[in-house]
Amino acid sequence: MVYVTRREVFSSAHILANPNWGAEQNSEIYGKCANSNGHGHNYTLEVVVGGEIDINTGYLIDLKILKEIIFTEVISKVDHKHLNYDVDFMKNLIPTTENLVVAIWGQLVNKLPSGKLISVKIFETENNYAEYKGE
Amino acid sequence: MVYVTRREVFSSAHILANPNWGAEQNSEIYGKCANSNGHGHNYTLEVVVGGEIDINTGYLIDLKILKEIIFTEVISKVDHKHLNYDVDFMKNLIPTTENLVVAIWGQLVNKLPSGKLISVKIFETENNYAEYKGE
Amino acid sequence: MVYVTRREVFSSAHILANPNWGAEQNSEIYGKCANSNGHGHNYTLEVVVGGEIDINTGYLIDLKILKEIIFTEVISKVDHKHLNYDVDFMKNLIPTTENLVVAIWGQLVNKLPSGKLISVKIFETENNYAEYKGE
Amino acid sequence: MVYVTRREVFSSAHILANPNWGAEQNSEIYGKCANSNGHGHNYTLEVVVGGEIDINTGYLIDLKILKEIIFTEVISKVDHKHLNYDVDFMKNLIPTTENLVVAIWGQLVNKLPSGKLISVKIFETENNYAEYKGE
Amino acid sequence: MVYVTRREVFSSAHILANPNWGAEQNSEIYGKCANSNGHGHNYTLEVVVGGEIDINTGYLIDLKILKEIIFTEVISKVDHKHLNYDVDFMKNLIPTTENLVVAIWGQLVNKLPSGKLISVKIFETENNYAEYKGE
Amino acid sequence: MVYVTRREVFSSAHILANPNWGAEQNSEIYGKCANSNGHGHNYTLEVVVGGEIDINTGYLIDLKILKEIIFTEVISKVDHKHLNYDVDFMKNLIPTTENLVVAIWGQLVNKLPSGKLISVKIFETENNYAEYKGE
């Protein structure tokens, strides 16, 4: 069993706020992340796929195909978008890195032609990232 | 003459659109950057100061002081903000990296206690950056 | 179950030497790392916490709180310090990256308000790092 | 149990093509990677070793020794070489990152004086990497 | 006057050898870089353009257009190619980083629709790079 | 005229303190950098050389030779050393990044066999660096 990772980058805006709370409570919990005009990030996405090497190609998965799946299911929906307003698979979710990484897993898990989804990581800044392994 | 550079990071949202143009023209010029809900970036700022080394301290400038000036004049005004709506020194400017880097130069150029502002750089993504040297 | 990682950086001096050995033996085992005046590093620390997402906040753990715990228990004690002389939790330990990463785990493991400590990594240089998972 | 990772870099040329296929089929599967004059990469190799800390040295493994083993068994054989023509342990293998990472595991797994080989990673570009854990 | 930089990455093979010299002399001058089967790199290219900001767009140059020019004139000709055999603008040049950076300048200098070419940089590895400013 | 840059890394300890001042004044000026047991950094050194390309080799300078000069004149004297106690060319200098970069220039400027020293940069952390151009 071998693991292959593909890295992609996207740029999005977001606001962290619980719609059931008032501005004061959101500011207390989320600090400057609750700014109502939003802020944004260059997010780095890493998708890890695992499985056996195809003896004919030497590939676990053709990265051009993996890249296309990630583009269709994730990047085209989040890049240069606002995560609170523009993204169907984030509807009704507070766009924390934790919720985002689980939602992206959901976008990808049934779309892989070969290999199995092992892990999705999202780096929000150079100092913070979240990972989900489907457990 | 020696040069000292301080790097800082901030996270902001922005929209690229000329208010004198319609949605179609903005979309033609700015592509996905014109998305009306905005998107965002982790911006990296590099500020270069030049001058002579103080013989008593061995410093061109105390980096704690340079950091405070950058925080007060720039970071506190742009970090976790929307560059189109929240930032006084970006009023009436389309928030391209080019306009942003010139505006940040204007925030800093008269505030340095020692040394002279030499260059301001803004990295919008890992692939694009702008620099202004006051020329 | 989701994992969240926080990265911090600190700068310390250290000397690698076993106090039970003479200078010659220490030089043989530790090479230039045994230099008796010490040398130093910019250490990068990565702390991984795992657990369930809080449905109200969308967070596994508030990173401001995680950052404060890491600062109080680790960074304030090692940053701009000498690991052999200044750090109580490194007393009687040779400050290799391996011993350092296990000791930092000990500083953090009982202090987390939510989530469970999963892994601590220390990068000593861009080419070497150690990880401890509490096993 | 603690884990120690050593990073090394090497520069090699390669061609992706299955010798049982014609140029057209290879071009269809491997795209521009099938260019018959070859292309190349700066590969980054990460070797992870796990085990217990030696109480006398504070080391899992002396990194100078780990570095020498990696140099002798891997780097000296692949650095500034062509993976299709110059490397004995890649004979009869299509030099995909997946096949390369498994072959490098085979070079290292029985050569470690202390600690156990846990993982080998190869980054082919900043966006793609493969990992093998001997499973 | 403002400066804008665009970063691109390409992967190529090359051999360093002077065709007027024998294998022994080439090996003496170029060491392992003279390996006759070639080796390769992930090259990073940085192109710096300077000029005035267009008051209507806030751009010095539309990066989509700059990216297209770099792709057409450089990346499409060198990426996944062998610099000694496949690249017309490197004909009769030893493909050192120095010769490559000057040749890429030549490819770009007359193709920019706005702004002026200021600098071209090529990083061959993380430790070595060359720059040309047209002087 | 072309420019070639070589990057090297070294790890040193240092203390920032003016020997003419008492502990209190040093602590006021240098903060935690004045800790009397010292602290340390992984310093990154970049040396830029400029000149004309040798038509026979395609090189401005053979990087193996540049690397040897940097090793002999700088790295061997500062790596795994204490900048205040172990380094002859830092005698009587407060080891700020500014003083260090000027002193390293002095070590290199007359030792280059071809090409001219253009710039020396020292990165003390990922956020701070100093540059000297001999002006």
Side-chain angles (χ1 to χ4, degrees):
Chain A
M1 184 155 189
V2 74
Y3 303 90
V4 169
T5 300
R6 176 73 194 171
R7 191 184 82 109
E8 298 286 346
V9 178
F10 59 91
S11 298
S12 313
H14 74 158
I15 300 165
L16 297 189
N18 183 324
N20 300 321
W21 296 342
E24 204 178 337
Q25 188 174 0
N26 276 313
S27 175
E28 194 186 320
I29 299 295
Y30 297 109
K32 57 191 180 178
C33 300
N35 173 39
S36 62
N37 283 323
H39 65 286
H41 300 286
N42 300 324
Y43 290 94
T44 298
L45 168 66
E46 289 186 1
V47 176
V48 187
V49 178
E52 293 191 22
I53 299 177
D54 179 308
I55 202 162
N56 289 311
T57 61
Y59 281 155
L60 163 60
I61 185 172
D62 183 338
L63 280 175
K64 287 189 301 293
I65 294 172
L66 180 56
K67 188 177 169 166
E68 277 170 28
I69 295 166
I70 298 172
F71 181 80
T72 305
E73 303 299 330
V74 183
I75 303 299
S76 69
K77 300 183 180 210
V78 295
D79 188 32
H80 285 73
K81 304 288 185 186
H82 196 300
L83 300 179
N84 299 64
Y85 306 134
D86 295 328
V87 182
D88 57 358
F89 67 78
M90 292 298 292
K91 273 267 156 65
N92 301 319
L93 287 170
I94 304 169
T96 59
T97 320
E98 291 93 324
N99 278 336
L100 184 59
V101 79
V102 174
I104 289 175
W105 174 282
Q107 288 294 106
L108 293 171
V109 67
N110 294 319
K111 300 292 165 36
L112 296 169
S114 63
K116 210 178 94 195
L117 189 59
I118 300 293
S119 159
V120 175
K121 277 188 195 171
I122 298 275
F123 295 73
E124 192 182 67
T125 70
E126 63 188 2
N127 295 323
N128 306 328
Y129 65 91
E131 182 176 18
Y132 185 60
K133 301 181 185 176
E135 299 158 350
Chain B
M1 183 155 188
V2 74
Y3 303 90
V4 169
T5 300
R6 176 75 195 170
R7 191 184 81 108
E8 299 286 347
V9 177
F10 60 91
S11 297
S12 313
H14 73 159
I15 300 165
L16 297 189
N18 183 324
N20 300 321
W21 296 341
E24 204 178 339
Q25 190 174 359
N26 276 314
S27 175
E28 194 186 320
I29 299 295
Y30 296 110
K32 57 189 180 178
C33 299
N35 173 40
S36 62
N37 284 322
H39 65 286
H41 300 286
N42 301 324
Y43 290 95
T44 298
L45 168 65
E46 289 186 1
V47 176
V48 187
V49 178
E52 294 191 22
I53 300 177
D54 178 308
I55 202 161
N56 290 309
T57 62
Y59 281 155
L60 163 60
I61 185 171
D62 183 338
L63 280 175
K64 288 188 298 296
I65 293 172
L66 179 57
K67 188 176 169 166
E68 277 170 27
I69 295 167
I70 298 172
F71 182 79
T72 303
E73 303 299 330
V74 182
I75 303 299
S76 68
K77 300 183 181 211
V78 294
D79 188 32
H80 286 72
K81 304 288 186 188
H82 196 299
L83 299 178
N84 299 65
Y85 306 134
D86 296 327
V87 183
D88 57 358
F89 68 78
M90 292 298 292
K91 274 268 156 65
N92 301 319
L93 288 169
I94 303 169
T96 59
T97 320
E98 290 92 325
N99 279 337
L100 184 60
V101 79
V102 174
I104 289 175
W105 173 282
Q107 287 295 106
L108 292 172
V109 67
N110 295 320
K111 299 293 164 37
L112 295 169
S114 63
K116 210 178 94 195
L117 190 59
I118 299 293
S119 158
V120 175
K121 278 189 194 171
I122 297 275
F123 295 75
E124 193 183 66
T125 71
E126 62 188 3
N127 296 324
N128 306 328
Y129 64 91
E131 182 176 18
Y132 185 59
K133 301 180 185 177
E135 296 157 352
Chain C
M1 183 155 189
V2 76
Y3 303 89
V4 169
T5 300
R6 175 74 195 171
R7 190 184 83 110
E8 299 286 345
V9 178
F10 60 92
S11 297
S12 312
H14 74 157
I15 300 166
L16 296 190
N18 184 323
N20 300 321
W21 296 341
E24 205 177 337
Q25 189 174 359
N26 276 313
S27 175
E28 196 187 317
I29 298 296
Y30 296 110
K32 57 189 180 180
C33 299
N35 173 38
S36 61
N37 284 323
H39 64 286
H41 299 287
N42 301 323
Y43 290 94
T44 298
L45 168 65
E46 288 187 1
V47 176
V48 187
V49 178
E52 293 191 23
I53 300 176
D54 179 307
I55 203 161
N56 290 310
T57 61
Y59 280 155
L60 164 59
I61 185 171
D62 184 337
L63 280 175
K64 286 188 301 294
I65 293 172
L66 179 56
K67 189 177 168 167
E68 277 170 29
I69 295 166
I70 298 173
F71 182 79
T72 304
E73 303 299 330
V74 183
I75 303 300
S76 68
K77 299 181 181 213
V78 294
D79 188 31
H80 285 72
K81 304 289 186 188
H82 196 298
L83 299 180
N84 299 65
Y85 307 135
D86 295 328
V87 183
D88 56 357
F89 68 77
M90 293 298 290
K91 273 267 154 64
N92 301 318
L93 288 169
I94 304 169
T96 59
T97 320
E98 291 93 325
N99 278 336
L100 185 59
V101 80
V102 174
I104 289 175
W105 173 281
Q107 287 294 106
L108 292 171
V109 67
N110 294 319
K111 299 294 165 36
L112 296 169
S114 64
K116 211 180 92 198
L117 189 59
I118 299 295
S119 158
V120 175
K121 277 189 196 171
I122 297 274
F123 296 73
E124 193 182 66
T125 70
E126 63 188 2
N127 295 324
N128 305 327
Y129 65 91
E131 182 177 18
Y132 185 60
K133 302 181 185 176
E135 297 157 351
Chain D
M1 183 155 188
V2 73
Y3 303 90
V4 169
T5 301
R6 176 74 196 170
R7 190 183 82 109
E8 299 287 345
V9 178
F10 59 92
S11 296
S12 312
H14 74 159
I15 300 165
L16 296 189
N18 184 323
N20 300 320
W21 296 342
E24 204 178 338
Q25 190 174 358
N26 276 314
S27 175
E28 194 186 319
I29 299 294
Y30 297 111
K32 58 190 179 178
C33 299
N35 173 39
S36 62
N37 284 323
H39 65 286
H41 299 286
N42 301 325
Y43 290 94
T44 299
L45 168 65
E46 288 186 2
V47 176
V48 187
V49 178
E52 293 190 23
I53 300 177
D54 178 309
I55 202 161
N56 289 310
T57 61
Y59 281 156
L60 164 59
I61 185 172
D62 183 338
L63 280 175
K64 287 189 299 295
I65 293 172
L66 180 56
K67 187 176 171 167
E68 277 170 28
I69 295 167
I70 298 172
F71 182 79
T72 304
E73 303 299 330
V74 183
I75 303 299
S76 68
K77 299 182 181 212
V78 295
D79 188 33
H80 286 72
K81 305 289 187 187
H82 196 299
L83 299 179
N84 299 63
Y85 306 135
D86 296 327
V87 183
D88 57 357
F89 68 78
M90 293 298 291
K91 273 267 154 64
N92 302 319
L93 287 170
I94 304 169
T96 59
T97 320
E98 290 93 324
N99 279 336
L100 184 59
V101 80
V102 174
I104 288 175
W105 173 281
Q107 287 295 106
L108 292 172
V109 67
N110 295 319
K111 298 294 165 38
L112 296 169
S114 63
K116 212 179 93 194
L117 189 59
I118 299 294
S119 159
V120 175
K121 278 189 193 171
I122 297 275
F123 295 75
E124 194 182 66
T125 70
E126 63 188 2
N127 295 325
N128 305 328
Y129 64 92
E131 182 177 18
Y132 185 58
K133 302 181 185 176
E135 297 158 350
Chain E
M1 183 154 189
V2 76
Y3 303 89
V4 169
T5 300
R6 176 73 195 170
R7 190 184 82 109
E8 298 287 346
V9 178
F10 59 92
S11 297
S12 313
H14 74 158
I15 299 166
L16 297 189
N18 184 323
N20 300 321
W21 295 342
E24 203 178 340
Q25 188 173 1
N26 277 312
S27 176
E28 193 186 320
I29 299 294
Y30 297 110
K32 58 190 180 180
C33 299
N35 174 39
S36 61
N37 284 323
H39 65 286
H41 300 286
N42 301 324
Y43 290 94
T44 298
L45 168 65
E46 289 187 0
V47 176
V48 187
V49 178
E52 293 190 22
I53 300 176
D54 179 308
I55 202 162
N56 290 310
T57 62
Y59 280 155
L60 163 60
I61 185 172
D62 183 338
L63 280 175
K64 287 189 300 294
I65 293 172
L66 179 55
K67 188 177 170 167
E68 277 170 27
I69 295 166
I70 298 173
F71 182 80
T72 304
E73 303 299 330
V74 183
I75 303 299
S76 68
K77 300 183 180 212
V78 294
D79 188 32
H80 286 73
K81 304 288 187 188
H82 196 299
L83 299 179
N84 299 65
Y85 306 134
D86 296 327
V87 182
D88 57 358
F89 68 78
M90 293 298 292
K91 273 265 156 65
N92 301 319
L93 287 170
I94 304 169
T96 59
T97 320
E98 291 93 324
N99 278 336
L100 185 58
V101 79
V102 174
I104 289 176
W105 174 283
Q107 287 295 106
L108 292 171
V109 66
N110 294 320
K111 299 292 165 36
L112 296 169
S114 62
K116 210 179 94 195
L117 189 60
I118 299 294
S119 160
V120 175
K121 277 189 195 172
I122 297 275
F123 295 74
E124 193 182 64
T125 71
E126 61 188 3
N127 295 323
N128 306 328
Y129 65 91
E131 182 176 18
Y132 185 60
K133 302 180 185 176
E135 297 158 351
Chain F
M1 183 154 189
V2 76
Y3 302 89
V4 169
T5 300
R6 175 75 194 171
R7 190 184 82 109
E8 299 286 345
V9 178
F10 59 92
S11 297
S12 313
H14 73 158
I15 300 165
L16 297 188
N18 184 324
N20 300 321
W21 296 342
E24 205 178 338
Q25 188 174 0
N26 276 314
S27 175
E28 195 186 318
I29 298 295
Y30 296 110
K32 58 190 180 179
C33 299
N35 174 39
S36 61
N37 284 323
H39 64 286
H41 300 287
N42 301 325
Y43 289 94
T44 299
L45 167 66
E46 289 186 3
V47 176
V48 187
V49 178
E52 293 190 23
I53 300 177
D54 179 308
I55 202 161
N56 290 309
T57 62
Y59 280 155
L60 164 58
I61 184 171
D62 184 337
L63 280 175
K64 286 190 299 296
I65 293 172
L66 179 56
K67 188 178 169 166
E68 277 170 28
I69 295 166
I70 297 172
F71 182 79
T72 303
E73 303 300 329
V74 182
I75 303 299
S76 68
K77 299 182 181 214
V78 294
D79 188 31
H80 286 71
K81 304 289 187 188
H82 196 299
L83 300 179
N84 299 64
Y85 306 134
D86 296 327
V87 183
D88 56 357
F89 68 76
M90 292 299 290
K91 274 267 154 63
N92 301 319
L93 287 170
I94 303 169
T96 60
T97 319
E98 291 93 325
N99 278 336
L100 185 59
V101 79
V102 174
I104 289 175
W105 174 281
Q107 287 295 105
L108 293 171
V109 67
N110 294 320
K111 299 293 166 35
L112 296 169
S114 62
K116 211 180 93 196
L117 189 59
I118 299 294
S119 158
V120 175
K121 278 188 194 171
I122 298 273
F123 295 74
E124 193 182 65
T125 70
E126 63 188 2
N127 295 324
N128 305 327
Y129 65 90
E131 182 177 17
Y132 185 60
K133 302 181 186 176
E135 295 158 351

